[in-house]
Amino acid sequence: MVLRSKESAGRPAGKTARPPVKERLLHVATRLFARHGFESTSVQDIVDAAGVTKGAMYHYYGSKDDLLYEVYHQVLTMQTSHLDQIAAGQGTAEERLRLAAADVVQTSLDNLDDMIVFFRSLHMLPEDKQTQVRAERRAYQEKFKALVDEGVAAGTFRSDISSDIVVHYFLSVVNQLGSWFKPDGSLSPGQVGDLFTELLIGGLAVR
Amino acid sequence: MVLRSKESAGRPAGKTARPPVKERLLHVATRLFARHGFESTSVQDIVDAAGVTKGAMYHYYGSKDDLLYEVYHQVLTMQTSHLDQIAAGQGTAEERLRLAAADVVQTSLDNLDDMIVFFRSLHMLPEDKQTQVRAERRAYQEKFKALVDEGVAAGTFRSDISSDIVVHYFLSVVNQLGSWFKPDGSLSPGQVGDLFTELLIGGLAVR
DNA sequence: GGCGTCATACCGTCCGGTCGGTCTTAAATT
DNA sequence: AATTTAAGACCGACCGGACGGTATGACGCC
């Protein structure tokens, strides 16, 4: 059987220069997971969309789950690093909390597909990876909580609402962004971030 | 022939009075969907847990999707009726919004399994049913939004934050309850409702 | 000529859904 | 009152096909 090797490994394809196969797989997988759900997306769907075959995918990723885990790891790593930078910065606790809140909304909206997958398919991960993701997320929450606590200690924020609850409260808002935000809507990611930040700080402020 | 008829229509069963098969199926299905996800729960799992066979399930429900739809329909219907009652009640807009917010948190926590399924598996419904659920949910949001608008018109709430955003903001919090709340934790559903209500009203109040 | 990068063909499993049939109970008929 | 009929409730074996994963090998590049 002659295999005419469609277009071989060369990537001067007619279309836009496509990123390497590994990244491409993760990207299209994220997109498909977000659109149709993890379980409704078959490995075949993914490789078709990426223009390769299963052999390629199982060469780079150990399993379909691996692909999912990468989504989580990637976005969590980025947001944690952002938060670290902001928390270590200057300004009052309120100022830094404002920055952190606006930033997490912004970056989440910039990676909407990841967020949709994130909050919807965590339970599909195998137990061990799920534990790891939860740990990473918990670490993020703790850093966020520390900022709130700082503001409480400084007397800027009200002390009668546990900071744990506040963190759950606000991060819930962030996690749900993917379920209603439309990029072509009237509000930009930045505007949404500012408004949500206002609502958060308002709720925290001593009256 | 004496009808010993296992337990016939009467349910003086030896065990705890079990609800009729149809309700039992929906109940165990909700539980399993919440624990393991819709797609990871096979019809066989459901009927096993309910103590019947597939024949019984397909006798009462047209498909596995039907079961899922019932979950949504049930909880949305209940919460909408609650909201209608509260909105039509007496008191200022702020008072009624407080009641509505606390109530939706409370009822959501009382039906945690439903909420978990709700925000996680909507995309698994066939298109037409999905559209219908979205419409029902939209109706709920609109009623909630009306309450906010009332408060803005009355000058109680700040007018520089679109009420649409506020509704998305707060209902996000509600929809995510299932992802962190533990019934055996230190906070009761009522307390969580009160705290979240405080945070919401605080964010809305004119400073 | 060995190694990374993929393609192709294939396998075993599982799952939603179907379908013919049985048992019980109530209504209709005799 | 006895018998037949009808209908609902439920059983359980079975099917078709999709899906995740694997095994093997071709092809280019150092």
Side-chain angles (χ1 to χ4, degrees):
Chain A
M1 177 174 300
V2 194
L3 37 123
R4 104 207 90 223
S5 81
K6 35 179 197 165
E7 29 188 301
S8 86
R11 359 211 104 82
K15 319 207 152 192
T16 58
R18 305 204 294 180
V21 172
K22 188 175 178 183
E23 279 75 23
R24 218 163 68 219
L25 279 167
L26 182 57
H27 185 252
V28 301
T30 304
R31 186 183 182 81
L32 290 174
F33 290 164
R35 304 272 174 270
H36 315 298
F38 176 75
E39 332 69 14
S40 301
T41 304
S42 72
V43 171
Q44 195 61 48
D45 290 339
I46 298 171
V47 297
D48 284 352
V52 293
T53 63
K54 283 208 225 175
M57 197 215 111
Y58 280 96
H59 175 71
Y60 291 109
Y61 299 94
S63 67
K64 193 187 170 190
D65 296 329
D66 267 19
L67 229 22
L68 182 58
Y69 175 74
E70 282 303 316
V71 177
Y72 290 91
H73 188 65
Q74 203 167 273
V75 62
L76 266 173
T77 300
M78 179 194 62
Q79 293 190 332
T80 299
S81 112
H82 276 223
L83 182 53
D84 281 339
Q85 254 179 273
I86 291 171
Q90 274 151 17
T92 66
E94 174 177 338
E95 284 167 354
R96 278 173 292 142
L97 183 59
R98 277 182 182 276
L99 287 177
D103 179 82
V104 70
V105 170
Q106 172 104 325
T107 61
S108 294
L109 289 178
D110 288 343
N111 302 273
L112 251 201
D113 282 345
D114 300 72
M115 294 312 291
I116 293 173
V117 177
F118 195 103
F119 89 91
R120 187 199 269 162
S121 303
L122 179 58
H123 66 292
M124 299 303 294
L125 277 178
E127 203 58 46
D128 55 333
K129 282 185 187 132
Q130 207 172 130
T131 305
Q132 192 168 337
V133 170
R134 274 190 226 278
E136 290 184 50
R137 192 168 63 171
R138 180 134 201 97
Y140 183 89
Q141 289 174 347
E142 288 300 325
K143 293 172 199 278
F144 207 94
K145 174 175 178 295
L147 269 182
V148 176
D149 284 331
E150 239 188 274
V152 172
T156 318
F157 300 150
R158 51 195 294 183
S159 59
D160 59 338
I161 300 183
S162 126
S163 56
D164 278 310
I165 286 291
V166 174
V167 173
H168 283 307
Y169 178 80
F170 191 72
L171 292 188
S172 290
V173 175
V174 173
N175 287 339
Q176 280 282 15
L177 282 169
S179 73
W180 64 269
F181 184 81
K182 297 284 171 284
D184 50 322
S186 60
L187 287 168
S188 74
Q191 288 175 306
V192 175
D194 289 343
L195 292 173
F196 280 2
T197 302
E198 270 301 310
L199 284 169
L200 171 67
I201 300 293
L204 277 173
V206 294
R207 317 277 287 271
Chain B
M1 172 179 298
V2 194
L3 42 125
R4 96 200 99 227
S5 73
K6 37 183 193 160
E7 21 195 302
S8 85
R11 354 215 102 82
K15 321 203 151 192
T16 58
R18 302 207 296 182
V21 172
K22 187 174 179 185
E23 277 77 23
R24 220 163 67 218
L25 278 167
L26 182 57
H27 185 251
V28 301
T30 304
R31 184 183 184 83
L32 290 174
F33 290 165
R35 304 274 174 267
H36 315 298
F38 177 75
E39 333 68 12
S40 300
T41 303
S42 70
V43 171
Q44 195 61 50
D45 290 339
I46 299 171
V47 297
D48 284 351
V52 294
T53 64
K54 281 209 218 178
M57 198 217 110
Y58 280 95
H59 176 70
Y60 291 109
Y61 298 95
S63 67
K64 195 186 169 190
D65 295 329
D66 266 19
L67 230 20
L68 182 58
Y69 175 75
E70 281 302 317
V71 177
Y72 291 91
H73 187 65
Q74 206 168 270
V75 63
L76 267 172
T77 301
M78 180 194 62
Q79 293 189 333
T80 300
S81 112
H82 277 222
L83 182 53
D84 281 340
Q85 253 178 275
I86 291 171
Q90 274 153 14
T92 67
E94 175 179 337
E95 285 166 353
R96 277 172 292 141
L97 183 58
R98 277 183 182 274
L99 287 176
D103 179 81
V104 71
V105 171
Q106 170 105 331
T107 60
S108 295
L109 289 178
D110 289 344
N111 301 273
L112 251 199
D113 283 345
D114 300 71
M115 294 313 290
I116 292 174
V117 177
F118 195 103
F119 89 93
R120 184 199 271 160
S121 303
L122 179 59
H123 66 291
M124 300 302 294
L125 277 179
E127 202 59 45
D128 54 334
K129 283 185 187 132
Q130 208 173 130
T131 306
Q132 191 168 338
V133 170
R134 275 190 226 278
E136 291 184 49
R137 193 168 61 171
R138 182 135 200 96
Y140 183 89
Q141 290 174 345
E142 287 300 326
K143 294 172 199 274
F144 208 94
K145 174 174 178 296
L147 268 182
V148 177
D149 284 332
E150 240 188 273
V152 172
T156 318
F157 300 149
R158 51 197 294 182
S159 60
D160 59 338
I161 301 182
S162 126
S163 54
D164 278 310
I165 285 290
V166 173
V167 173
H168 283 307
Y169 178 79
F170 191 72
L171 293 186
S172 292
V173 175
V174 172
N175 287 339
Q176 280 282 17
L177 282 171
S179 72
W180 65 270
F181 183 80
K182 296 287 172 284
D184 52 322
S186 60
L187 288 169
S188 73
Q191 288 175 308
V192 175
D194 290 342
L195 292 173
F196 280 2
T197 302
E198 270 300 308
L199 285 169
L200 171 66
I201 300 293
L204 277 174
V206 294
R207 317 277 287 270

